[in-house]
Amino acid sequence: MTTPIHHWADGAEFPGTSGLWADVTNPATGRVSGRVALASERDAQFVIASAARASHAWAATSLAKRTRILFAFRELLNSRKDELARLITAEHGKVHSDAVGEISRGLDVVEFACGISHLLKGGHSESVSTGIDVHSQRVPVGVVAVISPFNFPAMVPMWFFPIAIAAGNAVVLKPSEKDPSAALWLAKLWQEAGLPDGVFSVLQGDKTAVDALLHSPEVDAISFVGSTPIARYVYEEGSRHGKRVQALGGAKNHLVVLPDADLDLAADAAVNAGYGSAGERCMAISVLVAVDPIGDELVARIAERTRAVVVGDGRQGEATEPDMGPLVTRAHRDRVAGFIAAGEAAGAKLVLDGRDVSPRGDSDGFWLGPTLFDHVTSEMDIYREEIFGPVLSVVRVASYAEAVELINRNEYGNGTAVFTNDGGAARRFEADVRVGMIGINVPIPVPVACYSFGGWKRSLFGDTHAHGTEGVHFFTRAKVVTSRWIDPAARPAGGLELGFPRNV
Ligand code: NAD
C-alpha cells in the first residue's frame, strides 16, 4: 500500500485533476512508500487563486492576531518535532537526530518571526517641511511562492514561510517531489495553530508546477532554493514576469586548514561537515584545502575518523542510530558513485572508497559510504562539479595565498571556513575571500535566524539573502506617506504654483 500525497488548498487536501503521480521512495529500503500528486497548470491555478483570495484578509489581520498564531505554530512544532523528523527520515534518508536538527534550525526562524511587530516598525519624521510630516511603513507583497529542494524538506521552507506569513502574505509552498510529505504535515500544523484557510498552501509537482508559479500574475514573489541551473532559470523567468525573486543555488565549500590549527579539531570538523547528511547539504564541506606541510598528517587523521563512520538506516532509533544514512535516490547514488570513478580515472588518490560500504540496513537501500580523495587538483571534475554526496576532496596548497586564490577562483561562493589559531590570519581570511558565509574554526557557518543566509556568485541569483532582516525586506514593500493636515490657524496661502515643490 502506498500513501497518496496530495496538495493542500483552502484548508484541505486536494488530490488535483492531472491524474499524474510520482513515486516517493524510502531511500533506506529502496521501496516505494507513497505517490505524490503532480500538479497540472489548472491545479496550480486553483491553489494560487485560493492563496490570492486569502491574502487580502490576512494582510488586514492585526499584528497581534498574526503573532499569536505564530506562537501557537511554534509551540505545536516544538512539541511534535519527532513526528516530523520521522517523516523526513523516511523520505530523505537522513538519520533521525539530523532531521530533528534541521527542524530546530527552522524553529529558530519561526521564533524570529514571532517578533514581527518590532521588525515591521516604520519611521516617522515630523515637520520635514513646514507643516508636513512623513512616515514609512512596510506592507505585505501579496502571494509568495516558496520552491524548495529535497535536502532540507522542513528547514529550507522555514527559512521563508514564517517571515512571509508573519509579514501578512499568503504562501504557496512547492516542495521537492522526492520528499513531499513534510510540507503537507506543516500545512496541517498551521491549520491547528489557527491560520486561516488559504494563507498557507502546498502545491505538489515538478517543472509544470514551478512554471505555473513563475508565470502567474497572481504570484508576487518567489523564494527558490535548489541547484544552480534551476536557480538561474527561476531567477530569469520570474524576473521576466515582473516578480521579485531570490534564488539560492548550488555550492562547493572549501575548508582551509592552516599549519598552526588544532589538527584533531580540524579533522573532526572535516568528517562531520563532509559526511553529515551524506554530504547532501548546501553547506557541506566538499573540499579540504591543506596548507603545507600538514597534508599527510591531516589526511591520516581524517581517514582514521572516517573509517569509524557507521552508515545505516536512520530510522532505527536514538540508541542505535548510525552516523550517516543513504542517499536520496538510486539515480543520485549512482551519479555520486560515477564521480568516484571519475576521480580515480583522473588520477586523484582514492584513500577511502565509499562504494565498498557495508551498511546497517536493507540491501536495496541507496547506500554509499564516505569517500576520501587526496591530491585532487582544480582541473578535475570531482573538484569543479557539485557532487552533493559523501565525497571529500583534499587539495594540497603551498601557502595561505594559494588557498585564498583557489576559493576565489571557484564559481560558487556559498560557504567557506578556516581552521587556525592565528587571529590575524583568520581576520585576513574573512576580508580576502569572496564568499557569503564564513566560518572561523566553525565548519558549517549557517547564520542564526536574525542574520541572513546566502552565498555569492553562482550560489545566489538576486541580491536578497534568506531570513533575518533581509527576509523581512523581501516579503514586504515600502510605502512612504507625506502628509499635511491643515491647521486653520496656519492655513497655507494656496494659489497657483506649477514649479517643483521645494521644502521650506
Ligand atoms: P533541484 O534544483 O533539482 O530542485 C529544486 C526545486 O526545483 C525542486 O522543487 C524541483 O521540483 C524544482 N525543479 C527541478 N527541476 C526543475 C526544472 N527543470 N524547472 C523548474 N523547476 C525545477 O535541486 P535538488 O536536487 O532538489 O536540491 C539540491 C540542490 O539544492 C543542490 O545543488 C544544493 O546545493 C542546492 N541547495 C542550495 C541551498 C542554498 O542555500 N544555496 C540550500 C539547499 C540546497
Side-chain angles (χ1 to χ4, degrees):
M1 275 294 284
T2 56
T3 317
I5 304 159
H6 295 142
H7 315 284
W8 180 266
D10 274 337
E13 287 194 34
F14 163 57
T17 58
S18 73
L20 297 172
W21 301 82
D23 286 346
V24 177
T25 311
N26 183 332
T29 63
R31 282 191 283 280
V32 174
S33 56
R35 286 187 327 146
V36 61
L38 298 179
S40 63
E41 165 78 29
R42 202 163 126 228
D43 296 335
Q45 295 316 337
F46 177 80
V47 174
I48 296 166
S50 146
R53 277 193 307 276
S55 67
H56 305 292
W58 182 241
T61 302
S62 76
L63 282 169
K65 286 186 186 149
R66 282 192 233 154
T67 307
R68 253 174 243 136
I69 293 169
L70 260 286
F71 271 104
F73 180 79
R74 190 261 168 212
E75 289 304 297
L76 285 169
L77 182 54
N78 193 42
S79 62
R80 287 171 51 190
K81 54 177 182 267
D82 261 353
E83 200 182 307
L84 177 58
R86 279 196 293 278
L87 269 185
I88 293 172
T89 298
E91 291 184 354
H92 175 286
K94 65 177 72 177
V95 299
H96 183 81
S97 61
D98 195 27
V100 172
E102 79 154 284
I103 298 165
S104 303
R105 292 305 291 260
L107 263 170
D108 291 349
V109 183
V110 179
E111 287 166 5
F112 172 74
C114 285
I116 197 70
S117 312
H118 177 71
L119 295 163
L120 288 185
K121 279 194 303 198
H124 180 91
S125 301
E126 212 175 297
S127 294
V128 290
S129 187
T130 306
I132 292 188
D133 307 325
V134 174
H135 71 270
S136 66
Q137 40 175 293
R138 296 208 68 90
V139 301
V141 293
V143 175
V144 168
V146 176
I147 303 163
S148 55
F150 80 83
N151 67 321
F152 284 109
M155 182 187 76
V156 164
M158 281 198 278
W159 281 350
F160 307 104
F161 72 63
I163 299 174
I165 288 176
N169 301 282
V171 170
V172 178
L173 169 60
K174 205 305 280 173
S176 167
E177 58 276 45
K178 293 181 183 128
D179 45 14
S181 293
L184 200 57
W185 190 94
L186 287 162
K188 292 174 186 168
L189 205 73
W190 271 121
Q191 186 173 58
E192 225 177 292
L195 192 71
D197 292 347
V199 177
F200 184 81
S201 311
V202 177
L203 179 67
Q204 307 282 11
D206 53 16
K207 179 170 168 54
T208 304
V210 172
D211 283 345
L213 292 166
L214 293 175
H215 299 156
S216 167
E218 290 184 296
V219 173
D220 300 282
I222 309 261
S223 297
F224 172 90
V225 181
S227 58
T228 288
I230 312 296
R232 181 192 288 275
Y233 167 74
V234 166
Y235 181 71
E236 291 176 353
E237 195 68 3
S239 307
R240 217 160 53 79
H241 284 81
K243 304 174 196 322
R244 54 174 67 180
V245 185
Q246 51 180 179
L248 286 72
K252 196 81 187 174
N253 306 312
H254 299 62
L255 167 64
V256 177
V257 183
L258 296 183
D260 70 286
D262 181 323
L263 292 194
D264 281 321
L265 288 181
D268 287 343
V271 173
N272 297 339
Y275 305 127
S277 200
E280 294 170 329
R281 289 180 183 147
C282 63
M283 290 294 274
I285 292 297
S286 48
V287 182
L288 185 126
V289 187
V291 179
D292 284 347
I294 53 161
D296 288 346
E297 186 54 40
L298 190 57
V299 169
R301 293 190 201 195
I302 292 172
E304 182 195 333
R305 286 159 171 77
T306 303
R307 282 190 197 96
V309 170
V310 177
V311 177
D313 186 337
R315 297 172 305 165
Q316 289 173 337
E318 292 290 315
T320 56
E321 187 177 275
D323 301 304
M324 198 185 107
L327 273 75
V328 68
T329 57
R330 189 183 308 280
H332 187 54
R333 191 269 316 273
D334 293 348
R335 179 175 181 272
V336 177
F339 273 111
I340 301 175
E344 238 186 333
K349 181 177 173 200
L350 186 53
V351 181
L352 293 172
D353 187 346
R355 294 170 297 186
D356 301 334
V357 68
S358 315
R360 217 168 63 192
D362 194 304
S363 59
D364 288 333
F366 309 141
W367 308 110
L368 192 66
T371 296
L372 181 62
F373 274 113
D374 195 4
H375 297 288
V376 174
T377 67
S378 58
E379 294 77 39
M380 294 177 183
D381 278 355
I382 54 168
Y383 173 80
R384 290 189 305 108
E385 303 284 331
E386 183 186 35
I387 299 175
F388 220 57
V391 179
L392 182 63
S393 295
V394 178
V395 178
R396 311 256 189 139
V397 296
S399 64
Y400 164 85
E402 215 182 297
V404 168
E405 205 210 316
L406 185 74
I407 293 171
N408 286 346
R409 257 202 340 256
N410 195 279
E411 59 188 14
Y412 296 106
N414 212 40
T416 188
V418 66
F419 269 63
T420 178
N421 283 321
D422 177 343
R427 199 159 177 274
R428 190 137 61 89
F429 183 79
E430 179 183 328
D432 288 346
V433 289
R434 293 199 287 274
V435 173
M437 294 170 284
I438 300 166
I440 312 278
N441 297 316
V442 172
I444 308 186
V446 173
V448 294
C450 62
Y451 283 83
S452 299
F453 181 107
W456 288 17
K457 301 190 265 184
R458 276 162 45 94
S459 297
L460 176 89
F461 299 88
D463 69 348
T464 311
H465 293 195
H467 63 70
T469 47
E470 290 198 39
V472 177
H473 195 269
F474 186 77
F475 294 125
T476 53
R477 283 184 226 276
K479 272 187 179 171
V480 180
V481 181
T482 303
S483 53
R484 168 156 60 190
W485 288 100
I486 309 304
D487 177 353
R491 185 179 174 280
L496 282 181
E497 173 46 280
L498 273 67
F500 198 71
R502 276 170 292 134
N503 289 321
V504 286

